[in-house]
Amino acid sequence: MPKLNSASDLENLRQEVVSKRDPNKLCVTICSGTGCRAYGSEQVAETFAEELSKNGLKDKVDIRRTGCHGFCERGTLVVIFPEEICYLKVKPDDVPEIVSTTLQEGKVVDRLLYEKSDGEKVVHESEIPFYSNQNRTVFGNNRFIDPKKIDDYLALGGYKAISKALFDLSPEQVMDEVKAANLRGRGGGGFPAGIKWETTRDAPDEPKYVIVNADEGDPGAYMDRSLLEGNPHSVLEGLTIGAYAIGSHQGFIYVRQEYPLAVENLNIAIEQAREHGLLGENILGSGFNFDVTVHRGAGAFVSGESSALMTAIEGKVGEPRPKYIRTATSGIWDKPSDLNNVETWATVPLIINKGADWFTGIGTDRSKGTKIFSLVGKVNNTGLVEVPMGTTIREIIYNIGGGIPGGKKFKAVQTGGPSGGVIPESLIDLPVDYDELARAGSMMGSGGMIVMDEDTCMVDIARYYLNFLAGESCGKCVPCREGIYQMLKILNRICDGEGQDGDIELLEEIGEVVRDFSLCALGATAPNPVLSTISYFRDEYEAHIKEKRCPAGVCKSLISYYIDPDKCQACMICLRNCPVGAISGDKNVIHVIDQDKCTKCGTCFEVCPSRFGAVKKISGEELPEAVPAGTPVKREKGGKNG
Amino acid sequence: MAEVTLTIDGREVKAEEGTTILEAAQSAGFDIPNLCYHPMLAPYGACRLCMVEIERGKRTRLVSSCVYPVEDGLTVYTESDRVVKGRKMLLEFLWARAPGCKAIRDYGTRYGISGMESIREFGEAYGAAASKTKFEIEPTFCVLCGLCVRYCAEIKKKNAIGFIGRGTEREVMFFPEIAREECPQCEECFSVCPTGLVRLMFDLVKEPQSP
């Protein structure tokens, strides 16, 4: 591949790529993101290849392994173009039928379609409510692109923005456009990217560095991963545009070692971009030089913090350093270093192509554009969701997420990962943007959204996050290291039924000090899960401490299982299923749980037939006295053995 | 170097540009608590005891004075309510780890924290004062100030001692291969250690241990 040497070279290549493609040709796209891979999308793709050659369709049908489509709940996703027929939960066994029915006969396989709650089937991907209620400007291209092929990105207008920036705009104009768009950082704090760029550009020192933060580590969040895996060129293009505006010639991409597919696809993309003259010396013949190095993380959550990340790139232990000079002025090797997150960089080409006015037309007053959320937890349609800023939590959870499974009641949503907080049901109509979330005591963070239903204990949730943070605190500064540890100890004792009067106040007191005195953002935000659950669910904490009761029935030390002798039909099911043999009884003899042996796993509760409903979960109340061993079953009238 | 004027606890203080608030305060006779600061070493900002509140216009913020550079017209409060509240909590965190540490006891006494002044020796710590202090005593006898590690790296350039682990698992560790060669004739880190642990730890690596 000869290097592209001008803007017209790029356009000619694009024309060539597009002209070779027949928009009416059948194309089977198979989601090959990490989620679908876990469902076995690779086998589905291989089966398609086999079936096509078996049926002599190899030349008539294309196969494309794309990045993540987002509807991860229903993987493996298969979409057949040009008609955009969308099949869900496709297994290799389904492939022969798809090939014969859809590809050969042109008919739809009904059973693999999306079914609305009223039973109506949906054929086209974009008409599925999960997708149709979104606005997928940044993430949408994933489903058309094989991330390992630069041609797919070019066919969709890829690298148009860098060409426009290099040949039609000065670095200042590029910067002004991004500033005018008011693009705020998608990784956490929401700092305006354009202002950060300007700080780095205006810093006197040379050289300047630009960095992609792909150290996404929040539990349940995977949007950066999916973007990097599914559309790596968009990130590279954005980064190169930023480098041009800032005057940087060296970029770094700090990506988690835990994201092997992202690393693989990224490295392929970088190699292809270099071959095409889109990275390296004299990009597109413009005279601008820029190249990138991929730096893989070593598994520390704190390395996503900007100063820790830069310390890690320097080859040292990824620990934050105390500095009151911003990394934008003094970062890697004390040189000006601009760090933005994956999604922020991927948004840049769109702003350059479509203009700041287009971008500011989406979103709220102070939060522009769209945001990708990873919608997980107790919600029907888990997956990646992109919506305009200002979309309400209700719209996201109900219209897109399809509500809470099993008809349970929505309780709260946790946003912003371990640094964020919970938003209770009373705020379900809160428009989601940077400022509204912060006002509600949480934060945007990188966009994790964990939905919780009535069976979730908020003290237990706070404990979960603190436990995560206790393991991820680097231990350098005292408030974060010792404060999180002490808070976790208190939460543990509350959940264990040993909470004391004053524990809530002590948690608040410690939380405030950890927030104010910690060295970096990890510590400063670590108390959020505790403080926000206390502020919205203080009664739950009090129930644990004062009544020794877990209202959601989660904390094992505070719950007991008990078999109601009036309802037990001695069916032996719970008795056989109890993993520790804690249930005694026999045929026609009422079953009794030995509380000393019971590990409170809940198996008996789950297996007891619902028509009996004999096993009860109780919390905070006296356990009724067990019936004497050998008590015969009371049968309903007309029952046998009566 | 240009000179700047700042106000510390209501007093005007002159300092050279490029120095830190802590250095400026110390030269003017203020005693801001600190554990991880050492005049010969690069600022580390980890113990957070030297946090002070600074005022700029209507906004105040907490900064670590050992790192924050002086600015002309800066107003600093070294003992504001917020500062003292946090500092006391940090001392209590540390006391639970290094009971008996003189520096912490002295600061604790200064801030009126009960339960600290009575303990003089490590041995007395177990159980004796646990009920009097805010947090259960779980001693590691190390406050992880990093003075030993940084002194060895920055001044001696030997890196015979370093950190391992993270969070509360973090600890200071001699690297025996280097320590046996370099440390016997040096032992300078013993005098910078606020708890005295580093001397005991060195005894453990001095001789090869029998399995």
Side-chain angles (χ1 to χ4, degrees), chain A residues 298-301 319 321-325 470-479 481-486 489-490 506 509-510 512-520, chain B residues 43-48 51 61-65 67-69 82-87 89-90 93-94 96-97 134-136 138 142-144 163 165-168 170:
Chain A
F301 178 71
E319 278 171 10
R321 43 190 175 193
K323 269 198 176 167
Y324 292 103
I325 305 167
E472 294 297 341
S473 163
C474 76
K476 180 171 175 176
C477 80
V478 176
R481 179 183 74 233
E482 301 296 342
I484 292 175
Y485 173 76
Q486 294 294 351
K489 265 179 76 173
I490 298 169
L506 185 55
E509 198 187 332
I510 301 173
E512 212 174 292
V513 172
V514 174
R515 185 190 65 205
D516 291 347
F517 280 71
S518 289
L519 169 55
C520 82
Chain B
Y44 189 56
C47 77
R48 315 308 278 172
M51 296 282 277
R61 91 190 243 233
L62 290 165
V63 299
S64 57
S65 63
V67 179
Y68 200 93
R82 263 176 101 196
V83 166
V84 170
K85 191 180 167 201
R87 209 172 269 164
M89 175 94 52
L90 297 180
F93 286 154
L94 290 170
R97 294 299 185 185
K134 197 162 196 150
F135 303 110
E136 186 192 347
E138 295 172 278
C142 178
V143 293
L144 295 165
F163 288 115
R166 66 183 182 212
T168 50
R170 185 179 174 98

Side-chain angles (χ1 to χ4, degrees), chain A residues 247-313:
Chain A
S248 163
H249 305 291
Q250 173 66 53
F252 292 95
I253 302 178
Y254 188 94
V255 53
R256 307 186 77 197
Q257 180 68 39
E258 293 91 330
Y259 285 1
L261 184 61
V263 174
E264 180 187 329
N265 289 356
L266 186 62
N267 279 322
I268 293 171
I270 290 171
E271 217 30 68
Q272 290 174 341
R274 282 189 191 133
E275 281 169 17
H276 283 73
L278 293 161
L279 270 182
E281 301 276 301
N282 195 15
I283 292 174
L284 288 175
S286 67
F288 176 65
N289 307 328
F290 177 70
D291 212 338
V292 293
T293 304
V294 174
H295 189 108
R296 284 179 291 176
F301 178 71
V302 72
S303 293
E305 194 274 339
S306 61
S307 71
L309 185 148
M310 294 188 195
T311 312
I313 288 180

Side-chain angles (χ1 to χ4, degrees), chain A residues 292-347:
Chain A
V292 293
T293 304
V294 174
H295 189 108
R296 284 179 291 176
F301 178 71
V302 72
S303 293
E305 194 274 339
S306 61
S307 71
L309 185 148
M310 294 188 195
T311 312
I313 288 180
E314 289 175 7
K316 301 175 191 147
V317 177
E319 278 171 10
R321 43 190 175 193
K323 269 198 176 167
Y324 292 103
I325 305 167
R326 289 188 184 281
T327 48
T329 307
S330 174
I332 303 178
W333 296 296
D334 295 330
K335 301 296 178 192
S337 306
D338 174 85
L339 173 79
N340 294 112
N341 135 293
V342 170
E343 193 182 337
T344 314
W345 287 119
T347 308

Side-chain angles (χ1 to χ4, degrees), chain A residues 43-102:
Chain A
Q43 289 93 302
V44 172
E46 279 157 26
T47 316
F48 263 111
E50 285 163 23
E51 285 295 316
L52 289 183
S53 38
K54 217 190 280 175
N55 290 286
L57 291 169
K58 225 175 148 188
D59 300 325
K60 290 183 186 144
V61 182
D62 287 335
I63 293 179
R64 184 178 298 153
R65 299 183 195 195
T66 69
C68 174
H69 292 210
F71 201 4
C72 309
E73 176 81 29
R74 306 293 177 94
T76 297
L77 308 170
V78 170
V79 183
I80 297 167
F81 288 93
E83 234 208 294
E84 206 195 86
I85 301 164
C86 178
Y87 293 136
L88 309 170
K89 294 193 170 181
V90 177
K91 299 264 175 285
D93 293 348
D94 300 321
V95 172
E97 189 182 351
I98 296 175
V99 170
S100 62
T101 309
T102 307

Side-chain angles (χ1 to χ4, degrees), chain B residues 78 82 132 174:
Chain B
T78 68
R82 263 176 101 196
K132 293 184 199 162
F174 277 101

Side-chain angles (χ1 to χ4, degrees), chain A residues 433-480:
Chain A
D433 73 8
Y434 292 102
D435 309 302
E436 293 289 345
L437 284 177
R439 251 194 294 280
S442 184
M443 66 187 284
M444 181 76 83
S446 57
M449 230 178 225
I450 301 174
V451 182
M452 297 161 189
D453 68 7
E454 56 191 301
D455 292 340
T456 312
C457 168
M458 300 321 274
V459 186
D460 184 57
I461 284 296
R463 170 165 81 155
Y464 167 81
Y465 280 107
L466 264 279
N467 191 40
F468 174 84
L469 289 162
E472 294 297 341
S473 163
C474 76
K476 180 171 175 176
C477 80
V478 176
C480 177

Side-chain angles (χ1 to χ4, degrees), chain A residues 156-475:
Chain A
L156 292 174
Y159 289 104
K160 238 181 202 164
I162 184 63
S163 169
K164 181 179 175 183
L166 291 173
F167 297 105
D168 303 342
L169 302 171
S170 68
E172 291 75 17
Q173 284 171 316
V174 172
M175 181 107 57
D176 287 345
E177 201 66 29
V178 175
K179 273 166 72 184
N182 192 15
L183 169 63
R184 294 173 68 175
R186 263 53 178 159
F191 192 80
I195 294 177
K196 217 178 195 180
W197 289 15
E198 195 171 39
T199 309
T200 302
R201 183 185 169 80
D202 293 347
D205 217 355
E206 292 283 347
K208 303 180 197 301
Y209 299 111
V210 287
I211 312 155
V212 180
N213 187 348
D215 192 52
E216 177 181 61
D218 296 0
Y222 61 110
M223 49 265 140
D224 290 346
R225 169 185 210 159
S226 296
L227 257 181
L228 211 52
E229 285 173 0
N231 195 352
H233 285 287
S234 68
V235 180
L236 290 178
E237 188 180 3
L239 182 67
T240 312
I241 294 169
Y244 171 70
I246 288 165
S248 163
H249 305 291
Q250 173 66 53
F252 292 95
I253 302 178
Y254 188 94
V255 53
R256 307 186 77 197
Q257 180 68 39
E258 293 91 330
Y259 285 1
L261 184 61
V263 174
E264 180 187 329
N265 289 356
L266 186 62
N267 279 322
I268 293 171
I270 290 171
E271 217 30 68
Q272 290 174 341
R274 282 189 191 133
E275 281 169 17
H276 283 73
L278 293 161
L279 270 182
E281 301 276 301
N282 195 15
I283 292 174
L284 288 175
S286 67
F288 176 65
N289 307 328
F290 177 70
D291 212 338
V292 293
T293 304
V294 174
H295 189 108
R296 284 179 291 176
F301 178 71
V302 72
S303 293
E305 194 274 339
S306 61
S307 71
L309 185 148
M310 294 188 195
T311 312
I313 288 180
E314 289 175 7
K316 301 175 191 147
V317 177
E319 278 171 10
R321 43 190 175 193
K323 269 198 176 167
Y324 292 103
I325 305 167
R326 289 188 184 281
T327 48
T329 307
S330 174
I332 303 178
W333 296 296
D334 295 330
K335 301 296 178 192
S337 306
D338 174 85
L339 173 79
N340 294 112
N341 135 293
V342 170
E343 193 182 337
T344 314
W345 287 119
T347 308
V348 170
L350 296 169
I351 293 173
I352 298 302
N353 278 330
K354 299 185 181 183
D357 288 343
W358 163 79
F359 192 74
T360 53
I362 309 168
T364 61
D365 196 26
R366 296 192 58 230
S367 303
K368 301 299 183 189
T370 57
K371 176 78 191 83
I372 308 173
F373 293 99
S374 86
L375 186 63
V376 297
K378 302 285 182 65
V379 62
N380 277 313
N381 302 336
T382 57
L384 294 179
V385 168
E386 183 177 354
V387 289
M389 294 278 188
T391 307
T392 65
I393 292 174
R394 185 191 298 277
E395 288 172 276
I396 295 173
I397 292 176
Y398 286 93
N399 298 358
I400 298 169
I404 315 297
K408 297 272 183 180
K409 206 169 157 288
F410 168 70
K411 183 170 189 177
V413 59
Q414 212 279 352
T415 73
S419 301
V422 295
I423 311 277
E425 206 255 335
S426 59
L427 294 176
I428 191 168
D429 289 309
L430 186 84
V432 176
D433 73 8
Y434 292 102
D435 309 302
E436 293 289 345
L437 284 177
R439 251 194 294 280
S442 184
M443 66 187 284
M444 181 76 83
S446 57
M449 230 178 225
I450 301 174
V451 182
M452 297 161 189
D453 68 7
E454 56 191 301
D455 292 340
T456 312
C457 168
M458 300 321 274
V459 186
D460 184 57
I461 284 296
R463 170 165 81 155
Y464 167 81
Y465 280 107
L466 264 279
N467 191 40
F468 174 84
L469 289 162
E472 294 297 341
S473 163
C474 76

